[in-house]
Amino acid sequence: MSIAHNIQHLQTLLPAHVRLVAVSKTKPVSDLMEAYTAGQRDFGENKIQEMVSKWEELPKDIQWHMIGHVQTNKVKYMAPFVYLIHGVDSLKLLKEINKQAAKNNRVINCLLQVHIAEEDTKFGMDKEELARALSPEVLSTLSNVKIKGLMGMATFTDNQSQIEKEFTFLKNLFDTYKNTHGLDTLSMGMSGDYELAIKTGSTMVRIGSSIFGHR
Ligand SMILES: *Cc1c(COP(=O)(O)O)cnc(C)c1O
């Protein structure tokens, strides 16, 4: 199946309130262009250098999502153009994003990544770190970042009830802060688990292999 077909097919399956981020990491710009021509405007990358070079080559109305782990010293390269940073997992990183956003006269959208998986290899904040990052004392010092919501990755397993439990945990945290903090984005769900993610309250899915094929 073609990339255009896969995008159109996915769009028929996704509810109107769920936004599709096409995860294009490792894929050539010709593949991204095919998705773009099919109407796709949100693209996700997990390496900053790769995102920068694709941004340079591709149409400027694309919204670039950084979905990978971000090293503090690389924030400056994407600060001029990144649309949403999904993997913000420390206060130190949030402060650096704020600093680089200010230098570029921008407010950068961020999602706080929460550790929901069983494996301890995955990045993310715990409940306490999240509460700290969302406290008035911290937020009042960060005028160039906008925290739009939360992001999480479930355990890589076939156990559906385990995945559901982890997504539900994240959805409950999201609801705790949603109204007080004006959050509107819950980024959860990939090719293998997006249906379950949507069922449990996702508003943004990050889908790669179901669109572009295996990496
Ligand atoms: C690669 C990646 C995805 C997409 O994974 P697929 O299984 O190809 O859909 C989603 N989220 C993150 C954080 C990723 O690194």
Side-chain angles (χ1 to χ4, degrees):
M1 284 297 172
S2 72
I3 290 168
H5 174 276
N6 293 339
I7 297 254
Q8 278 146 13
H9 180 64
L10 268 170
Q11 289 293 7
T12 65
L13 300 176
L14 300 180
H17 69 276
V18 177
R19 195 146 146 196
L20 172 63
V21 178
V23 175
S24 48
K25 60 191 187 199
T26 78
K27 297 295 173 180
V29 291
S30 56
D31 282 8
L32 281 77
M33 224 23 236
E34 196 177 329
Y36 180 89
T37 307
Q40 184 64 28
R41 292 295 179 272
D42 292 278
F43 290 88
E45 292 284 335
N46 70 340
K47 295 210 168 70
I48 293 177
Q49 278 319 334
E50 186 176 341
M51 187 170 78
V52 169
S53 60
K54 286 173 173 170
W55 167 71
E56 283 167 350
E57 279 188 63
L58 287 162
K60 291 296 170 283
D61 62 339
I62 288 177
Q63 298 189 314
W64 292 98
H65 296 246
M66 174 41 61
I67 62 168
H69 182 66
V70 176
Q71 285 171 276
T72 320
N73 61 348
K74 292 191 178 159
V75 173
K76 56 179 178 285
Y77 302 115
M78 64 175 165
F81 70 92
V82 67
Y83 171 70
L84 178 63
I85 303 175
H86 291 231
V88 181
D89 63 353
S90 73
L91 216 48
K92 181 172 160 238
L93 178 57
L94 202 53
K95 286 177 182 162
E96 176 63 14
I97 295 169
N98 186 65
K99 182 174 147 195
Q100 297 300 333
K103 277 192 186 168
N104 285 276
N105 270 313
R106 298 189 68 210
V107 173
I108 296 182
N109 297 320
C110 293
L111 302 179
L112 299 176
Q113 182 171 0
V114 180
H115 181 102
I116 58 171
E118 233 179 23
E119 306 118 57
D120 45 50
T121 50
K122 281 182 185 149
F123 299 101
M125 298 183 177
D126 61 25
K127 260 178 144 170
E128 288 70 35
E129 290 168 312
L130 183 68
R132 172 94 186 111
L134 289 170
S135 68
E137 305 81 69
V138 168
L139 290 178
S140 64
T141 65
L142 301 171
S143 48
N144 290 79
V145 297
K146 169 80 186 127
I147 296 174
K148 299 278 288 174
L150 306 181
M151 181 271 210
M153 286 172 85
T155 302
F156 187 72
T157 173
D158 287 334
N159 184 341
Q160 298 299 301
S161 69
Q162 162 111 22
I163 299 172
E164 183 163 2
K165 196 182 78 191
E166 293 170 1
F167 282 157
T168 302
F169 173 80
L170 186 59
K171 161 72 168 150
N172 288 337
L173 266 183
F174 178 71
D175 286 343
T176 304
Y177 293 103
K178 190 180 171 193
N179 295 329
T180 49
H181 289 70
L183 307 185
D184 60 15
T185 306
L186 181 55
S187 168
M188 58 183 197
M190 330 201 319
S191 294
D193 56 20
Y194 73 88
E195 284 160 313
L196 199 46
I198 291 167
K199 207 180 92 185
T200 47
S202 170
T203 71
M204 186 174 272
V205 290
R206 310 175 308 269
I207 298 187
S209 41
S210 295
I211 295 173
F212 298 105
H214 291 293
R215 287 179 296 272

